[in-house]
Amino acid sequence: MEDEGKPVWAPHPADGFQLGMIVDIGADTLSIEPLNQRGKTFLAPMSQVFPAEEDVNKHVEDNCTLMYLNEATLLNNVSVRYNKDHIYTYVANILIAVNPYYDIPKLYGPDAIKSYKGKSLGTLPPHVFAIADKAYRDMKVLKMSQSIIVSGESGAGKTENTKFVLRYLTTTYGTGQDIDERIVEANPLLEAFGNAKTVRNNNSSRFGKFVEIHFNEKNVVVGGFVSHYLLEKSRICMQSNDERNYHIFYRLCAGASEDIKKKLHLDSPDSFRYLNRGCTRYFASKDADKQIMQNRKSPEEKFGVKCLAQGHNDILTAVGFEPVTS
Ligand SMILES: Nc1ncnc2c1ncn2[C@@H]1O[C@H](COP(=O)(O)OP(=O)(O)OP(=O)(O)O)[C@@H](O)[C@H]1O
Ligand SMILES: [Mg+2]
């Protein structure tokens, strides 16, 4: 057998796949000896054992260029790249993004934005900017609307990557006028009313949205439209222990001026029935936290569990909030 003696990917209960060698071939199963546990063999269904690449530590920018493309080699490639801070990988013109949960320096900076302008997919390292630019160029050439579908489980990075696309298009192909900023700046407001802390994501979108970016005949951004649907209304009156209601409530409690506080009878989140059965901690950086008055905060511990509150900033967004008065 030509492939004899070559390592294969076999199922692993925790890691998904593990490297091993085939030591015996049965009717439907293969006997595998894991590379890191020599002498110990286990049986794996034939359909779940895949050939491995020659060098499993080498990575490629497009999964389609792997010698053997299967579930195991795709996952290994994405994982090797992720460990080197290359969070984006192509599968032809589909982009896989792995959430790094920290800011990778310069990944989305002005220089990165500039470098992707007008570049074909694959010319530069995989990036969400490249997808945005391809959609733009296709719109220009084909004279047809283009869609970018962003999908993934909760916390995967859909909202963040959608914002990078908006930022890219408005910066690169905007008019340089007020409208560019308005499109981008609509997001914090939408998120205040439609995003909340869940167990899986401190800024989970509890609504679906369809974002349109409008271009004129000169292919310059002239407007946008956001349709939203399926808002999770039940969250308004009920949240579990370690989840929160929509951000706006906490932002108001944390950052409203004394005037507004009086007008709206605001207090610490613990004094509201619609908030106090869930997590009542604020999301604030150390500096912002110092600005929040003590009597507007809730005790650190609740229900015996410390509710993790980090990431989004409750005070900065609420400062300057003015309720509409008749
Ligand atoms: N590219 C990235 N760089 C740095 N941090 C990121 C990136 N993508 C996501 N994150 C972090 O992960 C968090 C969750 O991401 P995001 O809100 O985009 O997930 P989501 O897919 O929209 O989830 P949900 O379905 O719950 O709305 C973000 O608040 C941010 O802290
Ligand atoms: Mg989201």
Side-chain angles (χ1 to χ4, degrees), residues 5 24 77 79 113 122 129 132 147 158-159 174 180 203 222 229 242 259 275 294 308 310 312 320:
D24 198 14
N77 187 43
S79 152
I113 293 188
F129 293 161
S147 305
K158 300 181 292 293
T159 301
D180 304 343
N203 185 40
V222 285
Y229 49 90
D242 37 12
D259 259 17
L275 307 181
Q294 208 53 41
L308 256 186
Q310 57 188 355
H312 282 257

Side-chain angles (χ1 to χ4, degrees), residues 50-240:
F50 301 102
E53 294 287 292
E54 197 100 357
D55 181 354
V56 292
N57 298 313
K58 236 177 95 183
H59 61 90
V60 292
E61 292 186 342
D62 185 343
N63 283 309
C64 293
T65 61
L66 287 166
M67 176 90 82
Y68 303 107
L69 178 54
N70 54 57
E71 193 183 333
T73 52
L74 186 147
L75 286 174
N76 181 60
N77 187 43
V78 170
S79 152
V80 172
R81 288 178 60 73
Y82 167 77
N83 287 321
K84 294 181 183 333
D85 272 355
H86 302 312
I87 61 162
Y88 294 112
T89 308
Y90 291 125
V91 185
N93 59 4
I94 297 171
L95 182 74
I96 297 176
V98 182
N99 187 345
Y101 280 108
Y102 85 100
D103 290 330
I104 298 176
K106 297 186 182 156
L107 188 59
Y108 305 105
D111 290 344
I113 293 188
K114 261 188 223 147
S115 66
Y116 280 87
K117 185 175 179 181
K119 299 276 171 35
S120 298
L121 226 57
T123 320
L124 289 174
H127 202 295
V128 69
F129 293 161
I131 296 288
D133 204 82
K134 173 160 172 56
Y136 175 82
R137 282 179 287 111
D138 283 356
M139 174 197 73
K140 218 169 137 180
V141 173
L142 304 169
K143 301 205 179 307
M144 278 165 74
S145 297
Q146 302 294 314
S147 305
I148 298 174
I149 299 171
V150 187
S151 128
E153 61 179 322
S154 179
K158 300 181 292 293
T159 301
E160 295 302 311
N161 279 285
T162 305
K163 288 189 277 192
F164 293 134
V165 168
L166 292 182
R167 169 66 70 194
Y168 180 83
L169 291 176
T170 51
T171 308
T172 314
Y173 301 112
T175 48
Q177 284 169 6
D178 181 39
I179 185 71
D180 304 343
E181 276 309 303
R182 278 168 66 192
I183 291 173
V184 174
E185 295 302 330
N187 275 308
L189 205 59
L190 283 173
E191 288 182 16
F193 288 91
N195 285 30
K197 172 185 164 51
T198 65
V199 181
R200 304 192 63 181
N201 182 358
N202 278 353
N203 185 40
S204 187
S205 319
R206 310 313 297 167
F207 67 116
K209 67 177 182 225
F210 182 68
V211 186
E212 288 175 35
I213 300 286
H214 300 156
F215 295 83
N216 65 9
E217 64 287 354
K218 288 183 183 140
N219 302 308
V220 168
V221 176
V222 285
F225 188 78
V226 181
S227 352
H228 34 93
Y229 49 90
L230 294 176
L231 179 74
E232 184 190 36
K233 291 186 193 139
S234 57
R235 180 170 295 273
I236 295 181
C237 42
M238 192 66 209
Q239 318 84 40
S240 65

Side-chain angles (χ1 to χ4, degrees), residues 289-317:
D289 192 62
K290 285 185 203 143
Q291 296 177 51
I292 306 176
M293 275 179 274
Q294 208 53 41
N295 63 2
R296 295 192 185 191
K297 291 183 188 170
S298 82
E300 292 251 319
E301 308 245 347
K302 227 179 136 184
F303 308 115
V305 237
K306 198 160 187 169
C307 169
L308 256 186
Q310 57 188 355
H312 282 257
N313 207 319
D314 278 331
I315 186 163
L316 295 185
T317 328

Side-chain angles (χ1 to χ4, degrees), residues 5 7 19-21 23 33-41:
L19 280 172
M21 305 297 277
V23 289
E33 181 185 24
L35 284 197
N36 59 1
Q37 276 181 306
R38 286 294 165 104
K40 272 194 171 179
T41 59

